[in-house]
Amino acid sequence: MLNQASVEHDIYLFHQGNLRYSYQLFGAHPHTEDGEEGYRFALWAPNAKQVSVVGDFNNWNGSKHPLKKMNDNGIWYGFIPDLKEGTIYKYEILTPHGHLRLKADPYGFSSELRPNTASVTYPLNKYSWNDQQWMKRREKINIYESPTSIYELHLGSWKNIETEVYYNYREYADMVIPYVKELGYSHIELLPITEHPFDRSWGYQTTGYYAATSRYGTPDDFRYFVDQCHQNGLGVILDWVPAHFCKDEHGLRRFDGEALYEYQDPIKAEKPQWGTLTFDFGRNEVQSFLISNAIYWLKEFHLDGLRVDAVASMLYLDFGKEEGQWQLNEYGGRENLEAVEFIKKMNEAIFEEVPNVLMMAEESTSWPLVSAPTYIGGLGFNYKWNMGWMNDMLKYIEMDPIHRKHHHNLITFSLYYAFNENFVLPISHDEIVHGKKSLLNKMPGDYWKKFANLRAFLAFMYAHPGKKLLMMGTEFGQFDEWKDLEDLDWELLDYESHASTLEYVKELHQLYNDMPALWELDHSEEGFFWIDPNNYEQSIVSFARNSRNKNDQLIIVCNFTPEVYHNYKVGVPHEGSYKEVFTSDSTHFGGSGQTNGLYLETKADPWQGQNQHIEMTIPPLAVSFLKRTSSPKEEIE
């Protein structure tokens, strides 16, 4: 039996917006009552006149298993004996207007395979985890000073059996994990796997917030995927969508006949850009629903973080709207004040309940302090996607090199604000879909130059301050843009240029993981300084990356034209010998082989603001990484 005092306290917290584990109260849970085993049900539907649980088990007859209303708190509850795991069910709701509606459970832990839409009974706690070592390590790691490179993954189009027929989460684990691990990534980020009716929404228009989509198997199959990632040293981040939900009839829209999860004001509720509805962030019960949902994925599935989608659309009342589609807030501004307070409350709750996870905001504006703690006025995330860097760099890299000198600021401007937030540098699915071209195919020039540009771009990205994210397929230079209903063009790996690109990304990750200068001070001005940001005529920039150990310093030289320069002078801060530890122009990767094979001795003539300089060969459309050696003569001998 449930403890009545505990239930009443939970209900009080739910209505206050402070029930962080509301999924333990609501939904369908295995239960024993008067010696009978079955499932108990609880639902928030304050406007309903009557609620019943219906399914195949009672021939969808709402008269057989009605729920009872608990006082005036809008909660309906009941117990149905003899129900088993895997039973499909919906709620039959009689609205205030006398209409009967069939709704999936907002707290349903599993769903039928689309196009069917019923919820499915599924217990929370039957999976046995084997990732204890990972979870203990996660408690101690300083993510800010660790190498973080993220592989963005859409399971169904990574590899499938045929169009819209997919492998199981467990089969994906066996295929994906060895591949991503060998490439050297630290994390996998999954596009939303919350249940959604339309494959081509990619999960961003959700109906089942608590259900791992049945396209790929059961919730425990998904737990297995995460468990195996952890056992193989890979973290898992989930794209999470609290900004809006889709309007499908079985979902949250006008759930009990009235606006319940969405704003009652249609001007605030509607997101015309996506044809979806905005959550009512000011409603306490909706806050409990969403905050509990975030904690649910982090706790019940051991996820290592959430990438929160479309944060800007939450923050601004006018986001994606035309004149007449939005109204000013009470102070005459365009900020959604309720959403701002909700975001802060959500992040505070998450870091109290699940410390040391990643909360990454996809926030595309200049809203201040997105990744700062709430106690200093921040939104409370610990990372923000650097959309400014992404837009500038993609605009720059798509230009013919002959024009790049006129837009040199596009590769330098990001360093003016690189340390204002904790940034992730993203090249995500949004940039390589729907006519935008793949990253490789954005590159100008002939076949060789496209691959050289791609290698240079990726090397610059990994040398730039900030954590890294790359969409799947980029690692082997997919020519076609992302095709969401087809799998990746794996056959390209039969061709040398694509196989070499895959090897390049693998070795770039190895360099990245081995060099603390590329990540240890990512979020501190001490971790970076320009050597020469101003050579726009030749489209060359040079800079240094530092770690806490001064001996780990790297000098990075980037050339964004196809010209080769010999005896090019680069200022360096320390006397000694410098070795080229990595170059994107190596013939091993398909480059031209304009490398610096010998040690580069410093000359005591100041240059570019540094006390010393070296002379080196600058390869075409390439990036070179240099490191000072302590005893070069011994190494040569």
Side-chain angles (χ1 to χ4, degrees), residues 237-253:
I237 301 163
L238 178 66
D239 273 18
W240 184 61
V241 192
H244 60 137
F245 56 89
C246 60
K247 297 181 178 180
D248 291 63
E249 184 61 30
H250 68 283
L252 299 179
R253 176 178 177 268

Side-chain angles (χ1 to χ4, degrees), residues 182-211:
E182 184 178 2
L183 284 174
Y185 285 93
S186 64
H187 291 74
I188 289 172
E189 179 177 316
L190 292 163
L191 270 64
I193 55 89
T194 43
E195 192 59 83
H196 51 284
F198 183 46
D199 286 3
R200 301 199 73 179
S201 78
W202 316 330
Y204 290 100
Q205 294 195 11
T206 291
T207 49
Y209 272 79
Y210 285 83

Side-chain angles (χ1 to χ4, degrees), residues 53-125:
V53 182
V54 295
D56 288 343
F57 63 93
N58 63 10
N59 294 316
W60 299 89
N61 186 337
S63 66
K64 291 189 175 181
H65 295 101
L67 298 182
K68 298 177 183 177
K69 193 171 185 180
M70 188 180 291
N71 300 323
D72 296 322
N73 55 29
I75 295 173
W76 301 77
Y77 73 99
F79 171 74
I80 302 177
D82 297 325
L83 285 192
K84 308 297 182 183
E85 176 187 329
T87 299
I88 65 170
Y89 71 97
K90 282 188 176 180
Y91 292 113
E92 183 185 87
I93 296 173
L94 180 63
T95 74
H97 313 290
H99 303 299
L100 283 178
R101 289 186 172 174
L102 289 176
K103 291 286 189 175
D105 191 343
Y107 288 88
F109 302 131
S110 184
S111 296
E112 282 189 291
L113 180 64
R114 51 90 178 96
N116 295 328
T117 57
S119 300
V120 179
T121 56
Y122 203 90
L124 278 177
N125 54 4

